[in-house]
Amino acid sequence: MAKCVLVSGGAGFIGSHVTVELIEAGYDVVVADNMSNCDMTCFEGVQKIIGRKLPFEKVDFCDAVATDKLFSDYKIDAVIHFAAFKAVGESVEKPVRYYKNNLGSFLNVLEAASAHGCHNVLFSSSATVYGEPDKVPVTEETPRKPATSPYGATKQMCEDILNDVVKATAGTEGEIRGILLRYFNPIGAHPSALIGELPRGVPNNLVPFITQTAIGKRACLSIFGDDYPTPDGTCQRDYIDIVDLAQAHVYAVRRMLDGKMEKGCEVYNIGTGRPVSVLELVNAFEKVNGLKLNYKFAPRRAGDVTAIWADPSLANKVLGWTAKRSVEDTLASAWAWEKHIAGK
Ligand code: UDP
């Protein structure tokens, strides 16, 4: 019988891509989401891609009773936890809302998983835990830096909580094994253009801002800072294709479910290992899609790190996963998705 994976926050950008890859790898999936930050577009897109209906549960993971019920209603073998608020700026303005939601929901998931014999928990962490690193690329051993926003703090706290729960439950009936995936910058969309990122309001992230500018929803992209100590003066990041990133979850879940883990809690960087500057990304977008983007240089954005990219060799070696898609293919997929949602 196929193993069943619960994807919390599964109607969102990353969750929907992960759902598709899990189904294609032969897992059963239950998608649960409180729909606080998305509509059903991506969930419906997932069902179109896989060609069938999927179980969907509208659940707020801050509700302990509803979370527990979900684990009684389904025999869940592993849970991938995405359900969280993710806007850095908003988290600075509304810290209580962020701590309550991001920590509360994860605690409920851990409690219910442990109580119902679901031993495998994968947490979606972020390269934000490294802050401004002293050395690049960063490995999983690179020290974490103090978080610069409540959002970043919730990622670090959830990492610590999972580590503590793994230690405390080791050898018990409610044993939890954990995997933390630290994502770099996920971009792009599924090649079908049926699922992708749907930012509400003005996008904070670079690629949605680029595609919305190209389609005419925004007048002009501001490139934040041209005086960074990098080769062309703009910040460098590790942009990872969303489908590549989604596939990393399949490798990680398989490792957990096949009993291959060597430690109770394992951590992996999910990136390409390739630094790309903002200007390089803009130029690549223009070239691959054959268009000109309206952009200007603007002052630095508060809180941005100069340069960060992954050393993904641990994930490559231990999980057997590598990022395969070129940044050009990924930017073409992002543009195809923007045109799809614009109905063009
Ligand atoms: N960026 C930019 N203009 C924008 C949005 C982002 O120049 O409208 C830059 C930002 O300064 C950073 C990079 O693009 O150097 C990636 O930003 P994003 O918000 O996508 O991800 P982050 O690395 O901050 O998580």
Side-chain angles (χ1 to χ4, degrees):
M1 217 175 77
K3 299 272 187 189
C4 179
V5 183
L6 169 66
V7 182
S8 85
F13 172 47
I14 302 182
S16 59
H17 287 82
V18 169
T19 299
V20 169
E21 297 307 315
L22 287 168
I23 299 280
E24 287 179 355
Y27 292 103
D28 284 341
V29 177
V30 176
V31 173
D33 205 299
N34 68 356
M35 307 309 292
S36 68
N37 195 33
C38 60
D39 59 22
M40 291 304 265
T41 307
C42 284
F43 183 69
E44 281 158 11
V46 167
Q47 296 189 130
K48 272 192 205 139
I49 294 169
I50 64 168
R52 65 179 165 88
K53 296 270 178 223
L54 263 187
F56 175 83
E57 299 288 341
K58 188 161 187 284
V59 170
D60 185 340
F61 289 91
C62 288
D63 179 341
V65 175
T67 305
D68 188 80
K69 183 170 182 308
L70 192 58
F71 280 82
S72 327
D73 291 349
Y74 296 90
K75 167 80 194 78
I76 293 161
D77 298 294
V79 51
I80 304 184
H81 185 67
F82 293 111
F85 294 152
K86 59 176 185 181
V88 177
E90 189 190 36
S91 79
V92 175
E93 287 156 28
K94 299 174 183 163
V96 173
R97 186 170 138 82
Y98 269 67
Y99 286 117
K100 230 178 176 173
N101 184 66
N102 293 8
L103 303 181
S105 62
F106 191 44
L107 291 168
N108 286 338
V109 164
L110 287 168
E111 202 164 41
S114 186
H116 291 274
C118 166
H119 302 295
N120 305 291
V121 177
L122 192 156
F123 177 68
S124 56
S125 190
S126 163
T128 187
V129 301
Y130 297 117
E132 177 93 58
D134 297 328
K135 217 174 99 203
V136 276
V138 293
T139 72
E140 292 77 1
E141 303 302 317
T142 299
R144 295 186 328 188
K145 290 279 174 72
T148 53
S149 70
Y151 163 77
T154 67
K155 289 292 175 198
Q156 296 194 343
M157 288 175 188
C158 286
E159 286 198 349
D160 296 343
I161 289 168
L162 185 53
N163 262 296
D164 288 344
V165 169
V166 164
K167 270 187 228 143
T169 58
T172 70
E173 211 179 305
E175 181 168 76
I176 297 286
R177 293 176 286 271
I179 290 188
L180 305 171
L181 297 184
R182 291 181 179 152
Y183 311 146
F184 283 68
N185 289 59
I187 62 165
H190 193 266
S192 65
L194 290 169
I195 54 175
E197 206 167 352
L198 271 177
R200 288 201 165 158
V202 183
N204 290 309
N205 294 114
L206 179 59
V207 170
F209 208 105
I210 289 177
T211 56
Q212 290 197 4
T213 305
I215 206 115
K217 271 194 214 165
R218 311 272 154 218
C220 182
L221 166 77
S222 292
I223 296 183
F224 299 136
D226 63 353
D227 58 350
Y228 282 99
T230 58
D232 65 19
T234 65
C235 293
Q236 293 172 305
R237 295 286 183 276
D238 187 332
Y239 295 96
I240 166 113
D241 183 276
I242 186 66
V243 175
D244 277 334
L245 178 115
Q247 284 170 351
H249 295 73
V250 176
Y251 285 78
V253 161
R254 192 176 290 138
R255 180 170 170 82
M256 293 178 126
L257 291 174
D258 291 355
K260 297 273 168 55
M261 287 178 67
E262 283 160 20
K263 286 191 283 181
C265 194
E266 298 181 352
V267 187
Y268 299 99
N269 282 342
I270 303 301
T272 66
R274 184 179 58 209
V276 174
S277 75
V278 177
L279 207 49
E280 284 170 336
L281 198 84
V282 167
N283 291 337
F285 180 83
E286 290 185 324
K287 191 158 172 224
V288 71
N289 296 312
L291 42 84
K292 278 271 156 233
L293 197 71
N294 195 17
Y295 70 84
K296 62 171 192 234
F297 290 102
R300 292 182 177 194
R301 180 171 74 176
D304 275 342
V305 304
T306 302
I308 184 164
W309 64 94
D311 175 344
S313 48
L314 191 69
N316 301 161
K317 197 172 101 214
V318 179
L319 297 180
W321 167 87
T322 35
K324 296 198 184 77
R325 289 162 187 81
S326 68
V327 89
E328 286 78 13
D329 286 349
T330 304
L331 290 169
S333 74
W335 181 228
W337 165 246
E338 186 67 58
K339 286 190 289 187
H340 170 77
I341 51 181
K344 290 191 182 170

